[in-house]
Amino acid sequence: WSGDEQRAFYYNKDTGQTSWEKPQCLLDLEPRPGCCNCEEPYAKIECANCEEYFCKECFNFIHRGGRRKAHYFRPVYDYYGRRLDYDIEPWLHQDSSVVTKGE
């Protein structure tokens, strides 16, 4: 834990490597969230404003208009199906520009 940065860092005892990013082997152990709307077992998108996970279809349906269209989101998995690190992945806006949760 870094008191200055207020976040965790990771140390590999075997290689001596340190990183701010959570290692993929630890990300793979985290439970896979399901869609909060339709109970799809594997959600693909996390909404910052709703603080919920959605499959792509439910996210697009629920966030297609009104105030929810302005919500910030990020993918849960990369192109290859690997879990992304929540601490470093940026939040996106519907116009696909990169933003942070506080903006």
Side-chain angles (χ1 to χ4, degrees), residues 13-59:
K13 292 191 300 185
D14 296 331
T15 64
Q17 181 182 14
T18 60
S19 174
W20 289 106
E21 297 178 21
K22 187 180 284 189
Q24 191 63 46
C25 60
L26 293 178
L27 289 170
D28 292 339
L29 294 175
E30 292 185 5
R32 290 180 168 254
C35 178
C36 67
N37 192 53
C38 73
E39 304 304 322
E40 167 73 27
Y42 301 116
K44 305 284 189 221
I45 299 172
E46 178 186 11
C47 178
N49 302 83
C50 297
E51 296 181 356
E52 294 178 320
Y53 297 94
F54 298 94
C55 64
K56 288 182 181 182
E57 293 80 15
C58 289
F59 181 84

